[in-house]
Amino acid sequence: MEVFVNNELYAVQQGTTIAALLQFIQISSHKGIAVAVNNQVVPKNSWSDQLVSDADNITIIRATQGG
């Protein structure tokens, strides 16, 4: 199945969770990361349980600091 992550197309296996997707796209640190699936923010404590579906639009935002 295919999902869009920050407007890039990725092929993932059925049954992929958000946590597994982050690992697949090589985001190892979850600190300062927010994830939304189809414009709905997913709480970090749900990432290991929530499955992605075919054609999901996933947005990953990384917090930065500066001034």
Side-chain angles (χ1 to χ4, degrees):
M1 76 179 175
E2 296 178 329
V3 296
F4 290 92
V5 179
N6 292 353
N7 296 319
E8 290 188 41
L9 188 63
Y10 288 88
V12 296
Q13 294 181 356
Q14 195 80 7
T16 298
T17 63
I18 292 174
L21 176 67
L22 292 173
Q23 184 177 15
F24 176 71
I25 61 175
Q26 299 179 350
I27 296 179
S28 57
S29 173
H30 295 172
K31 187 175 182 181
I33 298 286
V35 177
V37 178
N38 301 321
N39 296 318
Q40 296 291 319
V41 175
V42 178
K44 192 175 284 193
N45 61 358
S46 297
W47 291 0
S48 296
D49 301 322
Q50 183 161 338
L51 300 175
V52 297
S53 299
D54 191 39
D56 272 350
N57 187 4
I58 300 161
T59 305
I60 300 171
I61 300 169
R62 186 181 303 256
T64 60
Q65 62 185 26

